[in-house]
Short mmCIF file of all heavy atoms in Angstrom, two decimals:
data_model
loop_
_atom_site.label_atom_id
_atom_site.label_comp_id
_atom_site.label_asym_id
_atom_site.label_seq_id
_atom_site.Cartn_x
_atom_site.Cartn_y
_atom_site.Cartn_z
N MET A 6 17.09 -17.41 15.77
CA MET A 6 17.83 -16.23 16.43
C MET A 6 16.72 -15.26 16.95
O MET A 6 15.82 -14.98 16.26
CB MET A 6 18.69 -15.51 15.44
CG MET A 6 19.32 -14.32 16.14
SD MET A 6 20.15 -13.09 15.07
CE MET A 6 20.98 -13.88 13.78
N SER A 7 16.89 -14.77 18.09
CA SER A 7 16.00 -13.80 18.73
C SER A 7 16.74 -12.44 18.84
O SER A 7 17.84 -12.50 19.47
CB SER A 7 15.34 -14.28 19.92
OG SER A 7 14.65 -13.42 20.42
N VAL A 8 16.34 -11.49 18.46
CA VAL A 8 16.97 -10.09 18.66
C VAL A 8 15.95 -8.99 19.13
O VAL A 8 14.84 -9.08 18.71
CB VAL A 8 17.53 -9.58 17.33
CG1 VAL A 8 18.19 -8.16 17.43
CG2 VAL A 8 18.56 -10.65 16.86
N THR A 9 16.41 -8.28 20.14
CA THR A 9 15.51 -7.28 20.45
C THR A 9 15.58 -6.00 19.82
O THR A 9 16.68 -5.69 19.23
CB THR A 9 15.71 -6.97 22.07
OG1 THR A 9 16.91 -6.50 22.30
CG2 THR A 9 15.24 -8.18 22.90
N GLY A 10 14.79 -5.08 19.91
CA GLY A 10 14.86 -3.88 19.08
C GLY A 10 13.77 -2.68 19.55
O GLY A 10 13.17 -3.00 20.50
N HIS A 11 13.80 -1.71 18.91
CA HIS A 11 12.81 -0.73 19.17
C HIS A 11 12.30 -0.07 17.86
O HIS A 11 12.89 -0.22 16.94
CB HIS A 11 13.48 0.38 20.26
CG HIS A 11 14.59 1.05 19.58
ND1 HIS A 11 15.94 0.46 19.45
CD2 HIS A 11 14.81 2.24 18.95
CE1 HIS A 11 16.81 1.29 19.02
NE2 HIS A 11 16.17 2.30 18.59
N ILE A 12 11.34 0.79 18.05
CA ILE A 12 10.77 1.56 16.94
C ILE A 12 11.49 3.00 16.98
O ILE A 12 11.49 3.61 17.95
CB ILE A 12 9.29 1.74 17.08
CG1 ILE A 12 8.62 0.30 17.06
CG2 ILE A 12 8.71 2.50 15.90
CD1 ILE A 12 8.68 -0.41 15.78
N HIS A 13 11.90 3.30 15.85
CA HIS A 13 12.44 4.72 15.63
C HIS A 13 12.04 5.34 14.29
O HIS A 13 12.27 4.69 13.31
CB HIS A 13 14.08 4.69 15.60
CG HIS A 13 14.74 6.00 15.38
ND1 HIS A 13 14.84 6.92 16.36
CD2 HIS A 13 15.38 6.45 14.27
CE1 HIS A 13 15.44 7.96 15.90
NE2 HIS A 13 15.76 7.65 14.70
N GLN A 14 11.33 6.49 14.46
CA GLN A 14 10.64 7.13 13.27
C GLN A 14 9.97 6.04 12.33
O GLN A 14 9.99 6.06 11.07
CB GLN A 14 11.90 7.73 12.44
CG GLN A 14 12.43 8.94 13.16
CD GLN A 14 13.59 9.58 12.37
OE1 GLN A 14 13.90 9.18 11.46
NE2 GLN A 14 13.79 10.81 12.83
N GLY A 15 9.13 5.20 12.92
CA GLY A 15 8.40 4.28 12.30
C GLY A 15 8.89 3.03 11.74
O GLY A 15 8.26 2.23 11.11
N ALA A 16 10.25 2.80 11.95
CA ALA A 16 10.87 1.57 11.49
C ALA A 16 11.41 0.80 12.70
O ALA A 16 11.76 1.36 13.75
CB ALA A 16 12.22 1.97 10.76
N ILE A 17 11.49 -0.57 12.56
CA ILE A 17 12.09 -1.37 13.55
C ILE A 17 13.52 -1.37 13.38
O ILE A 17 14.11 -1.64 12.36
CB ILE A 17 11.48 -2.84 13.41
CG1 ILE A 17 10.04 -2.91 13.40
CG2 ILE A 17 12.22 -3.74 14.32
CD1 ILE A 17 9.33 -4.16 13.03
N VAL A 18 14.21 -1.02 14.59
CA VAL A 18 15.65 -0.94 14.58
C VAL A 18 16.16 -1.92 15.71
O VAL A 18 15.84 -1.87 16.75
CB VAL A 18 16.11 0.50 15.01
CG1 VAL A 18 17.68 0.58 15.09
CG2 VAL A 18 15.55 1.57 14.00
N PRO A 19 17.01 -2.93 15.17
CA PRO A 19 17.51 -3.83 16.16
C PRO A 19 18.54 -3.17 17.08
O PRO A 19 19.09 -2.23 16.73
CB PRO A 19 18.27 -4.79 15.29
CG PRO A 19 18.42 -4.32 13.95
CD PRO A 19 17.38 -3.14 13.87
N ASP A 20 18.53 -3.67 18.32
CA ASP A 20 19.47 -3.11 19.37
C ASP A 20 21.07 -3.48 19.15
O ASP A 20 21.71 -2.82 19.67
CB ASP A 20 19.03 -3.62 20.71
CG ASP A 20 17.76 -3.00 21.20
OD1 ASP A 20 17.30 -1.94 20.53
OD2 ASP A 20 17.10 -3.59 22.07
N ILE A 21 21.25 -4.44 18.24
CA ILE A 21 22.55 -4.81 17.98
C ILE A 21 22.64 -4.88 16.35
O ILE A 21 21.73 -5.18 15.79
CB ILE A 21 22.96 -6.25 18.54
CG1 ILE A 21 22.06 -7.35 18.04
CG2 ILE A 21 23.02 -6.14 19.98
CD1 ILE A 21 22.55 -8.69 18.46
N PRO A 22 23.82 -4.61 15.78
CA PRO A 22 24.02 -4.66 14.37
C PRO A 22 23.80 -6.14 13.97
O PRO A 22 24.46 -6.97 14.56
CB PRO A 22 25.40 -4.06 14.18
CG PRO A 22 25.96 -3.64 15.37
CD PRO A 22 25.08 -3.95 16.44
N LEU A 23 23.11 -6.34 12.76
CA LEU A 23 22.84 -7.69 12.45
C LEU A 23 23.70 -7.98 11.18
O LEU A 23 23.91 -9.19 10.99
CB LEU A 23 21.40 -8.01 12.17
CG LEU A 23 20.47 -7.77 13.36
CD1 LEU A 23 19.10 -8.05 13.02
CD2 LEU A 23 20.86 -8.86 14.44
N GLY A 24 23.98 -7.14 10.30
CA GLY A 24 24.82 -7.37 9.21
C GLY A 24 24.08 -8.18 8.09
O GLY A 24 24.63 -8.87 7.33
N LEU A 25 22.71 -7.98 8.21
CA LEU A 25 21.89 -8.81 7.18
C LEU A 25 21.99 -8.08 5.69
O LEU A 25 22.17 -6.86 5.67
CB LEU A 25 20.42 -8.83 7.56
CG LEU A 25 20.17 -9.67 8.85
CD1 LEU A 25 18.81 -9.36 9.27
CD2 LEU A 25 20.49 -11.07 8.67
N PRO A 26 21.95 -8.87 4.73
CA PRO A 26 21.97 -8.13 3.41
C PRO A 26 20.69 -7.45 3.04
O PRO A 26 19.62 -7.77 3.65
CB PRO A 26 22.27 -9.49 2.42
CG PRO A 26 21.55 -10.62 3.19
CD PRO A 26 21.90 -10.34 4.56
N GLU A 27 20.79 -6.39 2.20
CA GLU A 27 19.61 -5.67 1.74
C GLU A 27 18.52 -6.63 1.21
O GLU A 27 18.87 -7.59 0.48
CB GLU A 27 20.07 -4.68 0.76
CG GLU A 27 19.03 -3.71 0.39
CD GLU A 27 18.51 -2.70 1.43
OE1 GLU A 27 19.37 -2.52 2.28
OE2 GLU A 27 17.32 -2.40 1.44
N GLY A 28 17.33 -6.41 1.58
CA GLY A 28 16.23 -7.35 1.19
C GLY A 28 16.01 -8.68 1.92
O GLY A 28 15.19 -9.43 1.46
N ALA A 29 16.84 -8.93 2.89
CA ALA A 29 16.80 -10.15 3.60
C ALA A 29 15.37 -10.23 4.20
O ALA A 29 14.94 -9.20 4.74
CB ALA A 29 17.85 -10.26 4.63
N ARG A 30 14.69 -11.28 4.20
CA ARG A 30 13.43 -11.52 4.65
C ARG A 30 13.69 -11.75 6.27
O ARG A 30 14.40 -12.58 6.68
CB ARG A 30 12.66 -12.83 4.19
CG ARG A 30 12.47 -12.70 2.70
CD ARG A 30 11.33 -11.85 2.18
NE ARG A 30 10.21 -12.36 2.75
CZ ARG A 30 8.95 -11.78 2.86
NH1 ARG A 30 8.88 -10.57 2.23
NH2 ARG A 30 7.84 -12.10 3.29
N VAL A 31 12.73 -11.13 7.10
CA VAL A 31 12.90 -11.25 8.42
C VAL A 31 11.43 -11.44 9.09
O VAL A 31 10.41 -11.10 8.42
CB VAL A 31 13.52 -10.10 9.21
CG1 VAL A 31 14.93 -9.96 8.81
CG2 VAL A 31 12.84 -8.77 8.94
N GLU A 32 11.26 -12.03 10.28
CA GLU A 32 9.95 -12.03 10.88
C GLU A 32 10.16 -11.47 12.27
O GLU A 32 11.13 -11.75 12.88
CB GLU A 32 9.61 -13.52 11.17
CG GLU A 32 8.30 -13.77 11.73
CD GLU A 32 7.98 -15.25 11.87
OE1 GLU A 32 7.97 -15.91 10.86
OE2 GLU A 32 7.80 -15.67 12.97
N PHE A 33 9.21 -10.79 12.70
CA PHE A 33 9.18 -10.13 14.04
C PHE A 33 7.92 -10.45 14.75
O PHE A 33 6.92 -10.63 14.17
CB PHE A 33 9.61 -8.63 14.06
CG PHE A 33 8.61 -7.87 13.25
CD1 PHE A 33 7.42 -7.22 14.01
CD2 PHE A 33 8.62 -7.50 11.96
CE1 PHE A 33 6.60 -6.51 13.46
CE2 PHE A 33 7.81 -6.73 11.41
CZ PHE A 33 6.76 -6.27 11.97
N VAL A 34 8.15 -10.61 16.07
CA VAL A 34 6.82 -10.93 17.06
C VAL A 34 6.88 -9.82 17.93
O VAL A 34 7.91 -9.41 18.65
CB VAL A 34 7.08 -12.27 17.66
CG1 VAL A 34 6.02 -12.61 18.70
CG2 VAL A 34 7.20 -13.38 16.63
N LEU A 35 5.77 -9.24 18.16
CA LEU A 35 5.55 -8.11 19.20
C LEU A 35 5.75 -8.71 20.60
O LEU A 35 5.00 -9.61 21.01
CB LEU A 35 4.24 -7.39 19.12
CG LEU A 35 4.07 -6.84 17.62
CD1 LEU A 35 2.68 -6.14 17.62
CD2 LEU A 35 5.11 -5.82 17.41
N ALA A 36 6.60 -7.93 21.41
CA ALA A 36 6.77 -8.49 22.87
C ALA A 36 5.70 -7.71 23.59
O ALA A 36 5.20 -6.49 23.20
CB ALA A 36 8.06 -7.99 23.36
N ASN A 37 5.26 -8.29 24.70
CA ASN A 37 4.30 -7.78 25.64
C ASN A 37 2.97 -7.37 24.95
O ASN A 37 2.41 -6.31 25.17
CB ASN A 37 4.78 -6.49 26.35
CG ASN A 37 6.13 -6.99 27.02
OD1 ASN A 37 6.27 -7.98 27.60
ND2 ASN A 37 7.12 -6.08 27.17
N SER A 38 2.45 -8.19 24.07
CA SER A 38 1.15 -7.81 23.36
C SER A 38 0.16 -8.87 23.64
O SER A 38 0.51 -10.00 23.88
CB SER A 38 1.49 -7.46 21.84
OG SER A 38 1.84 -8.80 21.27
N CYS A 39 -1.03 -8.54 23.68
CA CYS A 39 -2.15 -9.58 23.86
C CYS A 39 -2.42 -10.21 22.72
O CYS A 39 -2.17 -9.79 21.48
CB CYS A 39 -3.34 -8.87 24.48
SG CYS A 39 -4.23 -7.73 23.45
N GLU A 40 -3.14 -11.42 22.70
CA GLU A 40 -3.38 -12.20 21.59
C GLU A 40 -4.42 -11.41 20.62
O GLU A 40 -4.25 -11.62 19.43
CB GLU A 40 -4.22 -13.50 22.15
CG GLU A 40 -4.62 -14.42 21.01
CD GLU A 40 -3.34 -15.04 20.25
OE1 GLU A 40 -2.33 -15.15 20.90
OE2 GLU A 40 -3.55 -15.39 19.06
N ALA A 41 -5.26 -10.65 21.12
CA ALA A 41 -6.19 -9.81 20.28
C ALA A 41 -5.30 -8.95 19.40
O ALA A 41 -5.70 -8.85 18.20
CB ALA A 41 -7.16 -9.13 20.99
N THR A 42 -4.34 -8.29 19.83
CA THR A 42 -3.45 -7.40 19.10
C THR A 42 -2.82 -8.18 17.90
O THR A 42 -2.69 -7.87 16.89
CB THR A 42 -2.42 -6.70 19.91
OG1 THR A 42 -3.24 -6.04 20.93
CG2 THR A 42 -1.61 -5.69 19.21
N ARG A 43 -2.22 -9.44 18.33
CA ARG A 43 -1.55 -10.22 17.32
C ARG A 43 -2.50 -10.71 16.23
O ARG A 43 -2.21 -10.66 15.08
CB ARG A 43 -0.99 -11.41 18.03
CG ARG A 43 0.38 -11.09 18.83
CD ARG A 43 1.18 -12.33 19.10
NE ARG A 43 0.39 -13.20 20.06
CZ ARG A 43 0.53 -13.07 21.36
NH1 ARG A 43 1.36 -12.10 21.82
NH2 ARG A 43 -0.11 -13.83 22.16
N GLN A 44 -3.75 -10.98 16.57
CA GLN A 44 -4.57 -11.43 15.51
C GLN A 44 -5.13 -10.32 14.65
O GLN A 44 -5.24 -10.39 13.37
CB GLN A 44 -6.00 -11.87 16.15
CG GLN A 44 -5.69 -13.42 16.80
CD GLN A 44 -7.00 -13.91 17.57
OE1 GLN A 44 -7.97 -13.16 17.75
NE2 GLN A 44 -6.90 -15.23 17.91
N GLU A 45 -5.18 -9.07 15.22
CA GLU A 45 -5.55 -7.89 14.42
C GLU A 45 -4.51 -7.57 13.39
O GLU A 45 -4.66 -7.38 12.30
CB GLU A 45 -5.83 -6.76 15.37
CG GLU A 45 -6.23 -5.40 14.58
CD GLU A 45 -6.41 -4.33 15.64
OE1 GLU A 45 -7.21 -4.44 16.50
OE2 GLU A 45 -5.85 -3.28 15.43
N ALA A 46 -3.21 -7.67 13.89
CA ALA A 46 -2.02 -7.38 13.01
C ALA A 46 -1.98 -8.34 11.90
O ALA A 46 -1.50 -8.03 10.89
CB ALA A 46 -0.79 -7.31 13.90
N SER A 47 -2.28 -9.66 12.17
CA SER A 47 -2.18 -10.64 11.20
C SER A 47 -3.35 -10.72 10.05
O SER A 47 -3.15 -11.30 9.07
CB SER A 47 -1.94 -12.00 11.78
OG SER A 47 -3.02 -12.53 12.40
N SER A 48 -4.49 -10.23 10.48
CA SER A 48 -5.56 -10.39 9.51
C SER A 48 -5.76 -9.15 8.74
O SER A 48 -5.59 -7.94 9.29
CB SER A 48 -6.88 -10.62 10.42
OG SER A 48 -7.12 -9.45 11.29
N PRO A 49 -5.82 -9.27 7.48
CA PRO A 49 -6.02 -8.19 6.53
C PRO A 49 -7.18 -7.34 6.88
O PRO A 49 -8.24 -7.88 7.13
CB PRO A 49 -6.03 -8.76 5.11
CG PRO A 49 -6.49 -10.12 5.24
CD PRO A 49 -5.97 -10.59 6.72
N LYS A 50 -7.00 -6.10 6.59
CA LYS A 50 -8.18 -5.16 6.88
C LYS A 50 -9.17 -5.24 5.70
O LYS A 50 -8.82 -5.18 4.59
CB LYS A 50 -7.77 -3.81 7.07
CG LYS A 50 -6.90 -3.57 8.29
CD LYS A 50 -7.03 -2.24 8.86
CE LYS A 50 -5.98 -2.26 10.03
NZ LYS A 50 -6.59 -1.69 11.24
N ARG A 51 -10.51 -5.42 5.99
CA ARG A 51 -11.61 -5.40 4.89
C ARG A 51 -11.63 -3.97 4.27
O ARG A 51 -11.66 -2.99 5.03
CB ARG A 51 -12.83 -5.81 5.51
CG ARG A 51 -13.87 -5.98 4.58
CD ARG A 51 -15.10 -6.68 5.19
NE ARG A 51 -16.20 -6.75 4.31
CZ ARG A 51 -16.42 -7.52 3.32
NH1 ARG A 51 -15.50 -8.43 3.04
NH2 ARG A 51 -17.51 -7.57 2.44
N ARG A 52 -11.67 -3.95 2.97
CA ARG A 52 -11.68 -2.71 2.24
C ARG A 52 -13.11 -2.24 2.35
O ARG A 52 -14.10 -2.97 2.34
CB ARG A 52 -11.28 -2.86 0.81
CG ARG A 52 -9.76 -3.14 0.80
CD ARG A 52 -9.33 -3.34 -0.65
NE ARG A 52 -9.66 -2.21 -1.42
CZ ARG A 52 -9.13 -2.02 -2.60
NH1 ARG A 52 -8.23 -2.74 -3.13
NH2 ARG A 52 -9.64 -0.85 -3.42
N GLN A 53 -13.34 -0.87 2.51
CA GLN A 53 -14.57 -0.28 2.65
C GLN A 53 -14.74 0.58 1.27
O GLN A 53 -14.11 1.55 1.00
CB GLN A 53 -14.53 0.70 3.83
CG GLN A 53 -15.90 1.44 3.94
CD GLN A 53 -17.06 0.52 4.36
OE1 GLN A 53 -16.80 -0.52 5.04
NE2 GLN A 53 -18.35 0.84 3.95
N GLY A 54 -15.84 0.07 0.53
CA GLY A 54 -15.88 0.85 -0.79
C GLY A 54 -16.75 2.21 -0.54
O GLY A 54 -17.50 2.34 0.42
N GLY A 55 -16.87 2.97 -1.54
CA GLY A 55 -17.61 4.25 -1.47
C GLY A 55 -17.02 5.47 -0.81
O GLY A 55 -17.59 6.46 -0.72
N TRP A 56 -15.78 5.35 -0.47
CA TRP A 56 -15.16 6.49 0.28
C TRP A 56 -14.75 7.57 -0.66
O TRP A 56 -14.56 8.74 -0.24
CB TRP A 56 -14.01 6.11 1.26
CG TRP A 56 -12.74 5.42 0.50
CD1 TRP A 56 -12.74 4.12 0.19
CD2 TRP A 56 -11.66 6.07 0.21
NE1 TRP A 56 -11.57 3.98 -0.55
CE2 TRP A 56 -10.75 5.16 -0.48
CE3 TRP A 56 -11.10 7.28 0.28
CZ2 TRP A 56 -9.54 5.49 -0.95
CZ3 TRP A 56 -9.87 7.71 -0.17
CH2 TRP A 56 -9.14 6.79 -0.81
N LEU A 57 -14.82 7.34 -2.02
CA LEU A 57 -14.49 8.46 -2.99
C LEU A 57 -15.81 8.84 -3.71
O LEU A 57 -15.80 9.56 -4.72
CB LEU A 57 -13.51 8.04 -4.17
CG LEU A 57 -12.09 8.00 -3.51
CD1 LEU A 57 -11.07 7.43 -4.54
CD2 LEU A 57 -11.60 9.25 -2.96
N LYS A 58 -16.92 8.34 -3.30
CA LYS A 58 -18.22 8.61 -3.90
C LYS A 58 -18.39 10.19 -3.99
O LYS A 58 -18.20 10.84 -2.99
CB LYS A 58 -19.37 8.05 -3.11
CG LYS A 58 -20.80 8.15 -3.73
CD LYS A 58 -21.85 7.54 -3.05
CE LYS A 58 -23.07 7.46 -3.76
NZ LYS A 58 -24.14 6.81 -3.06
N GLY A 59 -18.72 10.61 -5.24
CA GLY A 59 -18.95 11.97 -5.39
C GLY A 59 -17.74 12.86 -5.77
O GLY A 59 -17.89 14.05 -6.15
N GLN A 60 -16.71 12.23 -5.66
CA GLN A 60 -15.36 12.92 -5.87
C GLN A 60 -14.80 12.59 -7.24
O GLN A 60 -13.75 13.31 -7.69
CB GLN A 60 -14.41 12.64 -4.81
CG GLN A 60 -14.88 13.07 -3.38
CD GLN A 60 -13.86 12.78 -2.37
OE1 GLN A 60 -12.69 12.98 -2.52
NE2 GLN A 60 -14.32 12.38 -1.11
N ILE A 61 -15.16 11.61 -7.92
CA ILE A 61 -14.62 11.33 -9.29
C ILE A 61 -15.79 11.43 -10.31
O ILE A 61 -16.80 11.03 -10.17
CB ILE A 61 -14.25 9.76 -9.26
CG1 ILE A 61 -13.06 9.62 -8.22
CG2 ILE A 61 -13.71 9.40 -10.66
CD1 ILE A 61 -12.65 8.07 -8.05
N HIS A 62 -15.53 12.14 -11.26
CA HIS A 62 -16.34 12.54 -12.39
C HIS A 62 -15.67 12.19 -13.80
O HIS A 62 -14.52 12.46 -13.95
CB HIS A 62 -16.73 14.01 -12.36
CG HIS A 62 -17.18 14.46 -11.14
ND1 HIS A 62 -18.48 14.38 -10.70
CD2 HIS A 62 -16.50 15.12 -10.08
CE1 HIS A 62 -18.72 14.82 -9.44
NE2 HIS A 62 -17.52 15.34 -9.03
N ILE A 63 -16.51 11.59 -14.60
CA ILE A 63 -15.97 11.17 -15.84
C ILE A 63 -16.72 12.04 -16.92
O ILE A 63 -17.82 12.30 -16.99
CB ILE A 63 -16.39 9.74 -16.27
CG1 ILE A 63 -15.71 8.78 -15.20
CG2 ILE A 63 -15.99 9.32 -17.63
CD1 ILE A 63 -16.11 7.39 -15.42
N ALA A 64 -15.73 12.63 -17.76
CA ALA A 64 -16.26 13.67 -18.80
C ALA A 64 -17.21 12.94 -19.74
O ALA A 64 -17.21 11.79 -20.02
CB ALA A 64 -15.20 14.28 -19.52
N GLU A 65 -18.21 13.84 -20.17
CA GLU A 65 -19.04 13.32 -21.31
C GLU A 65 -18.50 12.64 -22.49
O GLU A 65 -18.92 11.68 -22.99
CB GLU A 65 -20.19 14.44 -21.62
CG GLU A 65 -21.09 14.81 -20.45
CD GLU A 65 -22.02 13.74 -20.12
OE1 GLU A 65 -22.58 13.04 -20.95
OE2 GLU A 65 -22.36 13.69 -18.78
N ASP A 66 -17.39 13.33 -22.87
CA ASP A 66 -16.77 12.85 -24.08
C ASP A 66 -15.59 11.97 -23.79
O ASP A 66 -14.68 11.76 -24.63
CB ASP A 66 -16.20 14.07 -24.92
CG ASP A 66 -15.10 14.82 -24.10
OD1 ASP A 66 -14.93 14.57 -22.86
OD2 ASP A 66 -14.49 15.75 -24.71
N PHE A 67 -15.66 11.27 -22.73
CA PHE A 67 -14.59 10.24 -22.30
C PHE A 67 -14.19 9.22 -23.42
O PHE A 67 -13.10 8.89 -23.65
CB PHE A 67 -15.09 9.54 -21.10
CG PHE A 67 -14.16 8.47 -20.56
CD1 PHE A 67 -12.91 8.84 -19.95
CD2 PHE A 67 -14.30 7.15 -20.88
CE1 PHE A 67 -12.02 7.79 -19.51
CE2 PHE A 67 -13.45 6.15 -20.38
CZ PHE A 67 -12.30 6.51 -19.94
N ASP A 68 -15.19 8.71 -24.11
CA ASP A 68 -14.99 7.58 -25.09
C ASP A 68 -14.67 8.33 -26.48
O ASP A 68 -14.36 7.47 -27.41
CB ASP A 68 -16.25 6.79 -25.21
CG ASP A 68 -16.51 5.98 -23.96
OD1 ASP A 68 -15.54 5.69 -23.35
OD2 ASP A 68 -17.64 5.55 -23.70
N GLU A 69 -14.63 9.46 -26.66
CA GLU A 69 -14.33 10.03 -27.96
C GLU A 69 -12.86 10.35 -28.02
O GLU A 69 -12.22 10.96 -27.10
CB GLU A 69 -15.02 11.34 -28.13
CG GLU A 69 -16.46 11.25 -28.13
CD GLU A 69 -17.22 12.44 -28.24
OE1 GLU A 69 -16.69 13.49 -28.55
OE2 GLU A 69 -18.54 12.45 -27.82
N LEU A 70 -12.22 9.96 -29.22
CA LEU A 70 -10.78 10.13 -29.31
C LEU A 70 -10.47 11.72 -29.96
O LEU A 70 -11.12 12.10 -30.86
CB LEU A 70 -10.29 9.18 -30.54
CG LEU A 70 -8.78 9.21 -30.65
CD1 LEU A 70 -7.96 8.70 -29.33
CD2 LEU A 70 -8.46 8.15 -31.74
N PRO A 71 -9.72 12.39 -29.13
CA PRO A 71 -9.39 13.74 -29.61
C PRO A 71 -8.85 13.84 -31.14
O PRO A 71 -8.01 12.93 -31.47
CB PRO A 71 -8.41 14.31 -28.62
CG PRO A 71 -8.69 13.48 -27.47
CD PRO A 71 -8.98 12.06 -27.92
N SER A 72 -9.29 14.78 -31.78
CA SER A 72 -8.88 14.73 -33.21
C SER A 72 -7.43 14.90 -33.54
O SER A 72 -6.92 14.39 -34.41
CB SER A 72 -9.59 15.97 -33.96
OG SER A 72 -9.25 17.24 -33.30
N ASP A 73 -6.60 15.66 -32.61
CA ASP A 73 -5.27 15.63 -32.78
C ASP A 73 -4.49 14.30 -32.52
O ASP A 73 -3.54 13.92 -33.19
CB ASP A 73 -4.62 16.66 -31.87
CG ASP A 73 -4.84 16.47 -30.43
OD1 ASP A 73 -5.92 15.97 -30.06
OD2 ASP A 73 -4.02 16.90 -29.56
N ILE A 74 -5.14 13.52 -31.71
CA ILE A 74 -4.64 12.14 -31.41
C ILE A 74 -4.82 11.22 -32.62
O ILE A 74 -4.02 10.50 -33.12
CB ILE A 74 -4.95 11.55 -30.16
CG1 ILE A 74 -4.71 12.41 -28.87
CG2 ILE A 74 -4.65 10.14 -29.86
CD1 ILE A 74 -3.24 12.61 -28.64
N ALA A 75 -6.14 11.45 -33.14
CA ALA A 75 -6.56 10.66 -34.27
C ALA A 75 -5.76 10.90 -35.51
O ALA A 75 -5.24 10.06 -36.17
CB ALA A 75 -8.00 10.81 -34.59
N ASP A 76 -5.51 12.21 -35.74
CA ASP A 76 -4.48 12.58 -36.89
C ASP A 76 -3.21 12.10 -36.65
O ASP A 76 -2.55 11.56 -37.63
CB ASP A 76 -4.40 14.10 -36.85
CG ASP A 76 -5.83 14.77 -37.29
OD1 ASP A 76 -6.56 14.13 -37.88
OD2 ASP A 76 -5.81 16.08 -37.06
N ALA A 77 -2.54 12.09 -35.41
CA ALA A 77 -1.25 11.48 -35.30
C ALA A 77 -1.08 10.00 -35.55
O ALA A 77 -0.14 9.66 -35.97
CB ALA A 77 -0.91 11.72 -33.69
N PHE A 78 -2.33 9.34 -35.48
CA PHE A 78 -2.29 7.86 -35.83
C PHE A 78 -2.88 7.74 -37.17
O PHE A 78 -3.19 6.46 -37.50
CB PHE A 78 -3.08 7.15 -34.60
CG PHE A 78 -2.21 6.91 -33.34
CD1 PHE A 78 -2.49 7.89 -32.26
CD2 PHE A 78 -1.29 5.93 -33.29
CE1 PHE A 78 -1.76 7.77 -31.22
CE2 PHE A 78 -0.53 5.70 -32.18
CZ PHE A 78 -0.83 6.62 -31.03
N GLY A 79 -3.20 8.64 -37.89
CA GLY A 79 -3.69 8.45 -39.31
C GLY A 79 -4.98 7.87 -39.27
O GLY A 79 -5.50 7.13 -40.25
N MET A 80 -5.84 8.18 -38.22
CA MET A 80 -7.18 7.54 -38.21
C MET A 80 -8.31 8.57 -38.63
O MET A 80 -9.44 8.10 -38.85
CB MET A 80 -7.49 7.23 -36.72
CG MET A 80 -6.53 6.31 -36.07
SD MET A 80 -6.62 6.15 -34.38
CE MET A 80 -8.13 5.06 -34.29
N ASN A 81 -7.96 9.81 -39.00
CA ASN A 81 -9.02 10.63 -39.56
C ASN A 81 -9.03 10.55 -41.09
O ASN A 81 -7.92 10.53 -41.63
CB ASN A 81 -8.78 12.18 -39.19
CG ASN A 81 -9.38 12.32 -37.86
OD1 ASN A 81 -10.08 11.69 -37.21
ND2 ASN A 81 -8.96 13.42 -37.21
N SER A 82 -10.17 10.49 -41.80
CA SER A 82 -10.10 10.37 -43.23
C SER A 82 -10.23 11.68 -43.99
O SER A 82 -10.73 12.69 -43.42
CB SER A 82 -11.15 9.38 -43.60
OG SER A 82 -12.35 9.70 -43.13
#
């Protein structure tokens, strides 16, 4: 089956009601698009590491269990 539609607020909306059940799997093909655009859309984007560099800090006492938590589990002697 082929159905036309349009984009509305970032979602694909069919031009006719389809009555599909919630969660139904669908496939769509972009009309009037070039091959390069189709390939770009189908290939996953490579992740770029390091974009949070310098923004995440680990406290010096990260590996130490707080005494109140240790007490709650009966771990202090």
Side-chain angles (χ1 to χ4, degrees):
M6 174 193 323
S7 177
V8 177
T9 59
H11 60 279
I12 303 294
H13 179 73
Q14 295 181 344
I17 298 171
V18 179
D20 291 335
I21 59 172
L23 298 176
L25 296 172
E27 184 69 29
R30 303 276 304 163
V31 297
E32 177 180 307
F33 59 92
V34 177
L35 300 177
N37 302 325
S38 64
C39 67
E40 183 63 29
T42 303
R43 282 194 294 273
Q44 287 178 350
E45 182 180 308
S47 66
S48 63
K50 298 209 180 227
R51 184 169 171 82
R52 292 176 57 161
Q53 180 68 31
W56 62 279
L57 288 175
K58 185 175 182 176
Q60 297 182 40
I61 298 176
H62 304 282
I63 298 176
E65 293 293 326
D66 62 351
F67 175 78
D68 291 328
E69 297 174 15
L70 188 62
S72 61
D73 58 332
I74 302 296
D76 290 341
F78 285 97
M80 298 173 74
N81 282 343
S82 47

